[in-house]
Amino acid sequence: LFLRHDGRYPDALTVERSLQKDYPHNYLFCLEVANLLKDEGHGLEAIAAYKQVLDDAHKPNYFVEPRYQLAWFGMADTERGYNLIQDAAYGYTQAAQQPNSSDWLRKRAALAAGQMYDLLHQRPEAVHMYQQVLQPGGDQTQADAARRYLQTPYQGK
C-alpha cells in the first residue's frame, strides 16, 4: 500500500507478485497485480492479468467471494485507455451488473458504459446505461453527467 502510494510501482509489483505466488487463491492479491500493472503503464499486461483473475474466479472454489466488479472495472478502464471501446463497453457493463457491487461503483460503471456506447454510436444502449445511473436512492455523484449525456451524446474519449 505504501509503495503504491509513493508511486514505487516496480517495488510494489515485486511484493504483490510474491504474495500472489504464496497465496494464489487470494483474490485481492491477484487483482492487485493487475491494478499495479495498469498503474505502472503496462496496460496490455494488465488486461491479460485481469482476464486471468476473471478466469480463475469462475473456477469452482478457486477464490472466496471474488469481487468480479473490481476486475471488470479495472480491465474496462485499461481497455478504454487503449481505445478498445467495444471491450471497455462490455467490461463496464459487466461491472455495473454485478450483484455485490457498491451503488457508487455500479453507477460509475454504468456511466462509463454509456459513454462507450455513445462512442460506438449505439445510442439505445447508452441511454439505457445513463438511465441506470439515474435510478433513485443511493449514490448520486454521477447523476448530473448522466442527465447531460441523455441530452447530448458523449463524444470525448
Side-chain angles (χ1 to χ4, degrees):
L1 178 65
F2 292 113
L3 293 170
R4 183 179 199 185
H5 176 268
D6 293 342
R8 295 176 52 195
Y9 299 118
D11 294 334
L13 194 52
T14 298
V15 170
E16 204 62 43
R17 281 188 168 146
S18 174
L19 289 168
Q20 180 186 30
K21 182 181 176 201
D22 291 344
Y23 304 98
H25 298 284
N26 184 304
Y27 177 76
L28 292 177
F29 292 158
C30 297
L31 178 66
E32 190 59 16
V33 167
N35 289 336
L36 286 166
L37 286 167
K38 174 184 64 125
D39 292 348
E40 191 178 10
H42 299 286
L44 297 178
E45 288 178 66
I47 291 168
Y50 285 120
K51 287 179 180 179
Q52 185 62 56
V53 168
L54 289 165
D55 287 347
D56 288 342
H58 284 96
K59 296 175 185 174
N61 302 317
Y62 193 86
F63 294 128
V64 175
E65 296 184 36
R67 303 292 183 177
Y68 295 99
Q69 67 274 15
L70 299 175
W72 280 116
F73 191 89
M75 185 167 63
D77 262 357
T78 309
E79 291 165 339
R80 182 179 191 165
Y82 277 82
N83 209 31
L84 301 170
I85 304 303
Q86 184 71 47
D87 295 335
Y90 180 77
Y92 286 131
T93 300
Q94 290 298 310
Q97 293 176 348
Q98 297 306 308
N100 60 348
S101 183
S102 69
D103 193 60
W104 176 81
L105 183 63
R106 180 177 294 110
K107 289 182 178 182
R108 186 173 172 207
L111 179 71
Q115 292 171 328
M116 297 302 97
Y117 288 125
D118 267 340
L119 291 177
L120 292 166
H121 306 289
Q122 297 175 5
R123 189 65 179 156
E125 290 87 351
V127 167
H128 174 73
M129 298 310 289
Y130 297 141
Q131 289 171 339
Q132 286 185 20
V133 175
L134 295 172
Q135 293 296 312
D139 183 79
Q140 295 295 310
T141 57
Q142 308 298 318
D144 287 343
R147 282 188 206 90
R148 185 170 59 250
Y149 298 138
L150 279 172
Q151 298 298 315
T152 305
Y154 177 78
Q155 297 178 7
K157 182 177 176 189

